[in-house]
Amino acid sequence: MTIVKVSHLTYSYGQQISALQDVSFEVEKGDYLGILGGNGSGKTTLLRLLLGLEKIQGGEVELFGEPLNAFRGWQKIGYIPQNVFRGDLNFPASVLEVVRSGYADRNRKPSKMTAVMEALQLCGIGHLASRRLGELSGGERQRVFIARALVSEPELLVLDEPTTSIDTSYEEDLYTLLRKLHEKGMTIILVSHDHDVVSRDTRHILCLDKKVLGYSETKKISGEDLDRILAHGERVIHHRH
Amino acid sequence: MIEIFLDSHFQKILVAGLLLAAIAPMIGLYLVTRRYSLLVDALSHVGLLGIALALLFRIPMLIGAFATTFLASLGIERARTRWKTSTDALMALFLSGSLALSIIFLDIHEEGGHAHDREEHGGIESFLFGSIAEVTWLQIGVLALMLVVLGIAVYRYQKEYFMMALDEELAQVSGVSKGLFQFLFFFAVTAFITLALSMVGSLMIGALLVIPVLASMQLGKGFWKTFFIALLLSLSSTVLGLLLAQLFAFPSGAMIVLVTIGWLVLLVAWKELRRIM
């Protein structure tokens, strides 16, 4: 089943600044796609478009087989933005409240509280449950929002540079967690600047610099190839077989 | 002091004040957590402009105030999101712009031979400072209806309310319709401003909505506990403020706001004391 289908997506900021040009790709159920690209390559814009956070100017997006504007199954999607929680540090909410807000009753869990506690434990922040969001470090807050995204066991997990503000000691734990979730069948789209992690963990790689520079099965592309594509804009497309 | 509570006119004022105080945190919590606190000040002054236009074109004042305030709230939100205009600059523009226009329109209106309206409606001062003593049973009825509708909506959609306050984009990816939520929220803000304008005045509306929530946030509780504490502070400030206003013949809106600020100062002091000790 195709979970995400992006066809000829084009986007520009204002009249002049082109952010994406004719981007097309598909993500199948159970896939783990890594999206690589430099600053300003359109990675975040691409994610925002496929999650409906920006208005599509040209092209089409389908989620779970439905056109984006008709899609209503948002509880199937977990999203972790690059900069979580840009609000007031005095925001009156506990970690528990934030994680609980991500819970959608999909008849999979024995109870909401169990699901919330499991998600907190999975992200190693069970001990922070009653703390206020504003009291936590940037890294801890990021983990709270990762737990929020996971609490309903989404079918598709979308992460935009998830390690930007987390401490290096937790980075590897997060990638291990993502590998485990993928092994259990979760479809994952990971936007990252970390070539090593994407090359090691993902099943497919999409290299982006406003347009698709390369799309390939991860095992078919070497680290040198990746560097060459991203540095020189050389286009390599390995189609699905 | 008991006699004051037995006075039927004071009872009417108290009911109106308590209704305003009960509605205020439902709107104020979202305003404060989304950093929209100044929006209400700007919109209340747009409400003044609506009243000035209503007088000029001889249409009911409440309709004038509601229509201009609602249009301005949608305009501000559109400018903020679509053109990425900074919120504080927009607030300043709408606040001073609408106040200036109100003064000019009221001046034109009076020069046009309608000076007697000043005696009838008390001039711009009556809407700047308000007078809860002149509240009508119709206004009380509409406030009660608003309390019921808003209360049910906030209870029914508490998860969506929380998510929108926490992060608009995460709320959207969870399936919340940002456009619909904001449309309904600004509708509620506009209705509150329109109803409160003649009772507490445009200068005090923002304080009624924002300060109880700010005071409650000092206690460091969760989202809905903060809401209920703000509700208690808002209701208690209204009773105490109206009582003091009645006893010492002070303007009621100003007294309520001063009591609310008193709560805020006390809670900030308590928080600091707890931090030191």
Side-chain angles (χ1 to χ4, degrees), chain A:
Chain A
M1 182 194 180
T2 305
I3 301 286
V4 177
K5 185 178 179 188
V6 173
S7 316
H8 309 293
L9 206 56
T10 299
Y11 192 83
S12 59
Y13 291 101
Q15 303 263 306
Q16 305 289 327
I17 309 157
S18 171
L20 291 173
Q21 297 162 5
D22 197 24
V23 171
S24 300
F25 66 93
E26 286 180 17
V27 181
E28 294 295 318
K29 188 172 170 60
D31 199 354
Y32 187 167
L33 174 71
I35 301 179
L36 284 172
N39 290 337
S41 59
K43 306 188 296 291
T44 297
T45 305
L46 176 60
L47 287 196
R48 291 177 62 78
L49 282 165
L50 68 86
L51 292 170
L53 294 171
E54 299 286 348
K55 204 171 172 191
I56 292 175
Q57 295 170 347
E60 284 170 15
V61 172
E62 283 181 20
L63 295 175
F64 294 86
E66 287 181 72
L68 185 63
N69 54 12
F71 180 68
R72 295 289 174 267
W74 293 104
Q75 74 280 4
K76 295 180 195 166
I77 299 176
Y79 170 52
I80 300 157
Q82 192 173 2
N83 298 305
V84 290
F85 191 61
R86 287 147 293 178
D88 190 344
L89 286 183
N90 285 318
F91 190 90
S94 66
V95 168
L96 208 60
E97 280 179 303
V98 174
V99 177
R100 210 162 46 198
S101 76
Y103 181 81
D105 189 5
R106 298 171 60 205
N107 301 319
R108 284 188 174 190
K109 292 280 183 182
S111 79
K112 184 194 271 193
M113 200 56 198
T114 312
V116 170
M117 292 318 291
E118 274 178 16
L120 287 170
Q121 298 299 342
L122 209 57
C123 297
I125 48 169
H127 61 292
L128 300 177
S130 59
R131 294 273 297 276
R132 239 165 99 108
L133 198 60
E135 295 170 358
L136 308 181
S137 69
E140 287 170 331
R141 273 203 298 277
Q142 184 92 7
R143 287 156 76 169
V144 171
F145 282 88
I146 294 170
R148 185 191 175 279
L150 294 177
V151 70
S152 283
E153 292 188 358
E155 290 175 43
L156 170 65
L157 185 63
V158 181
L159 306 98
D160 188 2
E161 303 273 11
T163 55
T164 306
S165 58
I166 65 175
D167 28 330
T168 43
S169 59
Y170 182 67
E171 266 184 40
E172 201 42 50
D173 289 348
L174 173 65
Y175 290 126
T176 308
L177 174 63
L178 292 181
R179 281 199 300 273
K180 280 186 193 161
L181 293 170
H182 176 234
E183 281 162 18
K184 282 166 77 177
M186 193 179 283
T187 310
I188 300 174
I189 299 178
L190 169 70
V191 160
S192 177
H193 59 273
D194 192 332
H195 295 194
D196 295 337
V197 168
V198 171
S199 304
R200 185 193 65 194
D201 290 352
T202 63
R203 191 184 284 178
H204 285 94
I205 294 183
L206 181 88
C207 295
L208 195 71
D209 186 13
K210 295 185 172 64
K211 51 187 184 290
V212 176
L213 294 177
Y215 176 83
S216 169
E217 268 187 72
T218 307
K219 63 185 178 192
K220 287 187 180 168
I221 195 158
S222 67
E224 291 79 38
D225 283 344
L226 264 183
D227 291 340
R228 209 177 66 241
I229 294 164
L230 289 166
H232 305 296
E234 196 174 311
R235 295 190 80 167
V236 177
I237 311 282
H238 291 165
H239 293 286
R240 277 176 204 284
H241 297 292

Side-chain angles (χ1 to χ4, degrees), chain B residues 47-107:
Chain B
L48 274 186
L49 173 62
I51 284 170
L53 286 168
L55 284 172
L56 199 61
F57 294 107
R58 300 215 149 264
I59 53 171
M61 284 193 291
L62 285 186
I63 292 176
F66 186 87
T68 44
T69 310
F70 191 51
L71 285 176
S73 68
L74 296 180
I76 289 174
E77 188 51 26
R78 189 172 177 83
R80 195 183 69 86
T81 51
R82 186 63 60 91
W83 303 310
K84 315 280 182 208
T85 317
S86 79
T87 312
D88 56 344
L90 280 170
M91 302 303 147
L93 177 72
F94 275 79
L95 196 149
S96 41
S98 51
L99 190 59
L101 281 171
S102 314
I103 293 166
I104 299 290
F105 286 144
L106 285 172
D107 199 53

Side-chain angles (χ1 to χ4, degrees), chain B residues 187-204:
Chain B
F187 190 89
V189 172
T190 307
F192 184 84
I193 290 173
T194 308
L195 291 165
L197 206 55
S198 61
M199 287 189 238
V200 291
S202 64
L203 295 173
M204 301 294 171

Side-chain angles (χ1 to χ4, degrees), chain B residues 177-219:
Chain B
S177 167
K178 180 183 162 186
L180 181 64
F181 182 93
Q182 290 193 324
F183 182 86
L184 295 174
F185 180 76
F186 286 126
F187 190 89
V189 172
T190 307
F192 184 84
I193 290 173
T194 308
L195 291 165
L197 206 55
S198 61
M199 287 189 238
V200 291
S202 64
L203 295 173
M204 301 294 171
I205 294 175
L208 274 189
L209 291 169
V210 169
I211 300 172
V213 177
L214 269 185
S216 172
M217 279 167 69
Q218 305 308 314
L219 293 169

